[in-house]
């Protein structure tokens, strides 16, 4: 039984996992979903310290059903977009928009792991904070605890989730 | 406007055929045609691929707003497809700048002096007068080139970008409903040439309603006469009459002026010696017809001075753009990927900047005097 089911990962998380060599372990222990934009366009390589690009192959994981690709339609993204003040959507990566649009429409309770403040703010605005996770928390739950950069930390998620909650209370951001 | 029509508009604006789009995106021509005709909608990942090919944001295709009016005015328009590529990149930068301002509530209203006149009767006297009026209104002082760029960017809300492209004389400006006014200068040109280009484009922005009116074409080329007015304006703006006369008169010896002194005056005003020579002709220091010969003579010996003039390499995005982007990241207003895209850096570099910020900002206690 996998520890996390229906876990959407944004591109930053995928790239970082390959960078630190934990991608395979995470896929082994979690049911990973990737939006098609993340899988095919945004998560392609990580960079070494010297700037060298190291490409990775997500297609083989997809072909072996170790990772599931999800799509969002234009109607899905428009429905997601219509929840917010129009200036919100361009702030997100396109892959994040696709992931969040899917999360909202899905009858299953998906989770999303991100390293972006705006994602956690959006989840809080939508009153879905329980569906957001930091990579630090995931790694901790699956027995792969380690120190992570600020953007992947639980503290980061909590900070920006709180900000989103404050905005929700003040009626900022939503239509 | 339906997505299909937006797709067609964006493709045509990008100067691409369906075949070319297919080659770039691996999306079949028949599918592209069906998307544009509204027979079916692309899934989001394909729409994103098309957005990238057309240099548009995804949001452009999802919007229900009417298509924005984007009129671009070229000086020495490059040939297709280079022209469309540059325009696409320029408008994309304008949109990004606009987004940053909006997200941070830092929208700058365009504040430029109002130009009066009629296209049919516009004269050099009008251009001179406008230069004088503009210099005063913007408080540019006696050496306007020293702070023209900063003033236009920081105080007047003009977005100024730099990019290398050919031909060297090319520059483009635009007035858009969505993004305001913007100029794209050629970074291949040296700074003193770019100063003149900027002043030249400023004339077009100031007189937009006079010469463009309510034009609906997306691309325009100024008439030769309008270009001459722009050049007259630029010379008058960057080399104000009194200040130029004072500088030139100071170095005239026995009715002559040395090229070395001309170079030094041009350096002070941060213009080319060529521009100064034309200005001096305009101020009747010598016959107008003699200016080309004087320029030729200067060019034969110019290496002696021009070689020591310090060149610069302007960033594509203005400092304020960069500052807004960093603040947007710091304030959680933009994703890491979007930030990296806006600054033209890798995700890794963007993450490093975000991790730096994790240490938090420091504050200084202000005590009242």
């Amino acid at each position: 039984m996998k520890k996390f089911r229906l876990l959407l990962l944004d591109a930053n998380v995928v790239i970082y996992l390959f960078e630190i060599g934990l991608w395979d372990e995470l896929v082994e222990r979690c049911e990973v979903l990737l939006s098609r934009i993340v899988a095919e366009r945004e998560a392609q390589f990580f960079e070494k310290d010297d700037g060298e690009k190291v490409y990775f192959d997500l297609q083989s994981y997809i072909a072996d059903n170790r990772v599931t690709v999800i799509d969002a339609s234009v109607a899905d993204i428009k429905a997601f977009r219509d929840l917010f003040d129009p200036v919100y959507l361009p702030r997100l990566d396109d892959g994040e928009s696709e992931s969040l649009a899917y999360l909202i429409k899905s009858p299953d309770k998906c989770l999303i792991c991100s390293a972006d403040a705006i994602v956690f703010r959006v989840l809080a605005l939508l009153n879905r904070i329980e569906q957001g996770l930091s990579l630090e928390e995931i790694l901790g739950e699956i027995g792969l605890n380690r120190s992570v950069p600020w953007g992947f930390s639980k503290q980061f998620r909590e900070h920006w989730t709180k900000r989103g909650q404050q905005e929700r209370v003040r009626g900022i951001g939503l239509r | 406007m339906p997505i299909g029509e937006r797709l067609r508009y964006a493709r045509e604006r990008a100067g691409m055929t369906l075949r070319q789009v297919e080659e770039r995106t691996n999306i079949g021509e028949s599918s592209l045609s069906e998307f544009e005709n509204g027979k079916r909608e692309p899934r989001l990942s394909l729409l994103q691929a098309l957005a990238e090919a057309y240099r548009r944001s995804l949001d452009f295709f999802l919007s229900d707003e009417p298509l924005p009016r984007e009129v671009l005015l070229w000086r020495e328009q490059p040939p297709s497809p280079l022209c469309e590529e540059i325009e696409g990149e320029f408008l994309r930068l304008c949109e990004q700048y606009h987004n940053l301002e909006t997200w941070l509530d830092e929208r700058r209203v365009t504040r430029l002096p109002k130009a009066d006149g009629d296209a049919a009767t516009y004269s050099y006297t009008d251009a001179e007068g406008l230069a004088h009026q503009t210099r005063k209104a913007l408080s540019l002082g006696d050496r306007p080139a020293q702070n023209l760029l900063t003033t236009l960017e920081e105080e007047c809300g003009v977005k100024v970008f730099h990019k290398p492209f050919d031909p060297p004389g090319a520059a483009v400006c635009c007035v858009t409903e969505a993004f305001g006014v913007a100029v794209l200068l050629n970074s291949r040109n040296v700074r003193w040439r770019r100063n003149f280009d900027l002043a030249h484009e400023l004339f077009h922005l100031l007189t937009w309603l006079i010469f463009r009116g309510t034009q609906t074409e997306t691309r325009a080329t100024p008439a030769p006469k309008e270009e001459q007015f722009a050049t007259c304006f630029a010379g008058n703006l960057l080399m104000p009459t009194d200040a130029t006369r004072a500088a030139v008169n100071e170095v005239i010896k026995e009715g002559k002026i040395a090229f070395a002194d001309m170079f030094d005056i041009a350096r002070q005003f941060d213009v080319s010696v060529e521009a100064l020579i034309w200005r001096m002709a305009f101020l009747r220091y010598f016959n107008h017809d003699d200016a080309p010969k004087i320029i030729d003579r200067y060019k034969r010996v110019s290496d002696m001075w021009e070689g020591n003039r310090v060149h610069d390499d302007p960033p594509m995005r203005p400092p304020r753009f960069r500052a807004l982007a960093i603040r947007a990241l710091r304030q959680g207003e933009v994703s890491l990927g979007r930030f990296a895209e806006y600054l033209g850096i890798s995700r890794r570099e963007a993450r490093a900047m975000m991790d730096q910020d994790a240490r938090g900002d420091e504050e200084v206690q202000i005590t009242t005097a």
Side-chain angles (χ1 to χ4, degrees):
Chain A
M1 176 74 174
K2 297 212 173 179
K3 183 68 182 179
F4 287 101
R5 286 198 63 240
L6 303 173
L7 178 62
L8 286 155
L9 304 180
D10 83 11
N12 299 312
V13 173
V14 174
I15 292 166
Y16 182 64
L17 284 166
F18 273 101
E19 193 179 319
I20 59 174
L22 287 183
W23 171 254
D24 284 310
E25 279 90 337
L26 188 127
V27 165
E28 186 76 25
R29 299 167 204 211
C30 303
E31 185 185 342
V32 172
L33 306 179
L34 296 179
S35 89
R36 191 171 296 278
I37 291 175
V38 170
E40 293 183 359
R41 302 184 65 78
E42 290 181 348
Q44 304 287 298
F45 59 86
F46 65 87
E47 280 182 66
K48 289 181 169 178
D49 287 343
D50 60 4
E52 181 195 343
K53 289 179 182 172
V54 179
Y55 287 83
F56 45 81
D57 174 27
L58 286 173
Q59 295 308 311
S60 60
Y61 293 87
I62 296 165
D64 293 345
N65 294 317
R66 285 182 285 169
V67 164
T68 303
V69 170
I70 56 94
D71 282 283
S73 67
V74 168
D76 293 335
I77 198 77
K78 279 191 168 183
F80 168 65
R81 187 177 186 267
D82 285 345
L83 295 171
F84 296 96
D85 186 313
V87 301
Y88 245 75
L89 199 68
R91 308 179 203 213
L92 295 159
D93 287 354
D94 294 335
E96 286 167 347
S97 294
E98 187 171 41
S99 300
L100 287 166
Y102 179 84
L103 182 145
I104 283 162
K105 80 159 190 184
S106 174
D108 300 313
K109 197 91 164 177
C110 297
L111 303 170
I112 181 166
C113 177
S114 177
D116 272 322
I118 191 71
V119 169
F120 297 119
R121 283 173 65 193
V122 164
L123 287 172
L125 278 173
L126 297 173
N127 210 20
R128 289 172 179 256
I129 59 174
E130 73 283 0
Q131 290 178 266
L133 278 172
S134 66
L135 182 62
E136 181 183 18
E137 291 163 287
I138 292 174
L139 293 178
E141 284 292 321
I142 61 176
L144 296 173
N145 299 67
R146 60 191 288 139
S147 170
V148 293
W150 164 241
F152 298 102
S153 69
K154 178 181 174 186
Q155 204 179 349
F156 179 88
R157 177 188 65 75
E158 287 176 338
H159 175 83
W160 291 109
T161 299
K162 187 175 173 186
R163 163 85 175 271
Q165 287 174 305
Q166 290 166 347
E167 287 168 341
R168 180 180 164 82
V169 164
R170 285 155 57 199
I172 296 171
L174 292 172
R175 267 203 211 246
Chain B
M1 183 186 247
I3 279 187
E5 288 177 34
R6 285 182 175 264
L7 283 168
R8 177 176 289 117
Y9 170 85
R11 178 177 59 78
E12 289 174 351
R13 192 67 207 261
M16 297 175 78
T17 63
L18 290 173
R19 170 69 58 88
Q20 286 168 328
V21 178
E22 181 185 52
E23 285 167 9
R24 192 178 286 195
T25 63
N26 286 328
I27 301 170
E29 258 190 79
S30 58
S31 294
L32 293 169
S33 186
E34 285 179 346
F35 297 154
E36 289 188 6
N37 292 326
K39 289 191 178 146
R40 62 184 174 105
E41 265 183 1
R43 62 170 187 251
L44 202 65
S45 56
L46 294 185
L47 187 61
Q48 197 229 22
L50 292 171
E52 265 188 43
Y54 302 151
R55 291 187 184 81
R56 297 281 178 175
S57 65
L58 200 59
D59 202 55
F60 173 85
F61 298 101
L62 300 173
S63 174
D64 293 322
E65 300 291 320
L67 283 175
R69 221 160 66 94
E70 300 162 337
V71 182
L72 286 89
L73 184 71
W74 273 100
R75 185 180 176 203
E76 288 193 51
Q77 181 180 317
S80 288
L82 182 60
C83 174
E84 287 81 5
E85 284 174 22
I86 295 169
E87 287 178 352
E89 173 119 27
F90 180 35
L91 289 172
R92 182 181 250 196
L93 286 168
C94 290
E95 183 186 20
Q96 291 175 353
Y97 202 154
H98 170 79
N99 282 345
L100 290 169
E101 290 184 321
T102 303
W103 299 338
L104 294 169
D105 203 16
E106 290 271 354
R107 188 87 197 271
R108 288 265 165 93
V109 175
T110 305
R111 276 194 202 95
L112 288 171
K114 186 175 172 300
D116 293 316
D118 182 87
T121 57
Y122 206 84
S123 67
Y124 289 110
T125 307
D126 293 323
E128 281 175 59
L130 182 60
H132 178 76
Q133 174 198 346
T134 302
R135 192 168 64 85
K136 291 280 184 220
L138 301 186
S139 302
L140 294 174
D142 285 343
R143 302 289 187 268
Q146 305 286 352
N147 49 27
L148 177 64
L149 176 62
T150 305
T151 301
L152 289 178
E153 286 181 332
E154 300 288 345
E155 294 181 29
C156 301
V158 178
K159 300 170 173 57
V160 183
F161 302 98
H162 297 81
K163 190 177 160 57
F165 53 90
D166 287 311
V172 57
C173 63
C174 71
V175 173
T176 69
E177 289 169 341
F179 315 137
V181 302
V183 175
L184 177 65
L185 298 177
N186 195 334
S187 60
R188 288 220 168 101
N189 289 333
V190 291
R191 189 187 63 254
W192 41 97
R193 170 71 195 261
R194 293 197 313 268
N195 288 335
F196 206 91
D197 291 342
L198 180 60
H200 185 110
E201 297 309 309
L202 176 59
F203 174 83
H204 292 309
L205 294 177
L206 294 171
T207 58
W208 196 270
L209 288 177
I210 295 173
F211 290 102
R212 309 272 89 69
T214 50
Q215 174 182 325
T216 53
E217 293 87 25
T218 51
R219 194 178 291 133
T221 306
K225 203 67 183 174
E226 188 188 343
E227 284 292 85
Q228 287 165 5
F229 294 146
T231 300
C232 172
F233 169 88
N236 273 271
L237 180 75
L238 296 179
M239 291 170 279
T241 300
D242 291 348
T244 307
R245 284 195 185 285
V248 169
N249 291 344
E250 196 176 25
V251 297
I252 289 177
K253 294 182 182 65
E254 296 172 1
K256 292 180 185 175
I257 180 170
F259 281 138
D261 291 320
M262 279 191 185
F263 173 77
D264 199 55
I265 294 170
R267 182 193 55 73
Q268 288 177 42
F269 287 93
D270 213 9
V271 296
S272 66
V273 172
E274 184 177 340
L276 175 64
I277 289 170
W278 281 113
R279 186 72 175 120
M280 288 175 67
F282 186 85
L283 294 174
R284 304 196 198 288
Y285 280 98
F286 34 77
N287 289 331
H288 195 266
D289 291 344
D290 289 339
K293 290 176 236 165
I294 296 171
I295 290 168
D296 280 344
R297 283 174 54 201
Y298 175 74
K299 281 181 178 171
R300 283 199 284 274
V301 299
S302 63
D303 284 352
M304 202 182 316
W305 298 287
E306 299 291 347
N308 286 319
R309 217 166 173 182
V310 176
H311 292 231
D312 66 342
D313 188 15
M316 181 184 290
R317 300 158 182 87
R320 182 168 174 265
F321 180 109
R322 187 180 164 84
L324 288 174
I326 291 170
R327 190 141 60 93
L329 183 71
R330 179 178 287 161
Q331 293 179 201
E333 299 291 352
V334 69
S335 70
L336 205 68
R338 196 62 79 209
F339 172 78
E341 176 200 336
Y342 277 26
L343 286 194
I345 60 177
S346 67
R347 279 185 187 254
R348 184 184 174 85
E349 288 172 273
R351 210 177 75 205
M353 291 175 77
M354 190 168 77
D355 290 343
Q356 268 183 353
D357 196 57
R359 292 192 283 276
D361 201 359
E362 290 187 24
E363 295 177 326
V364 174
Q365 181 67 50
I366 299 297
T367 56
T368 54

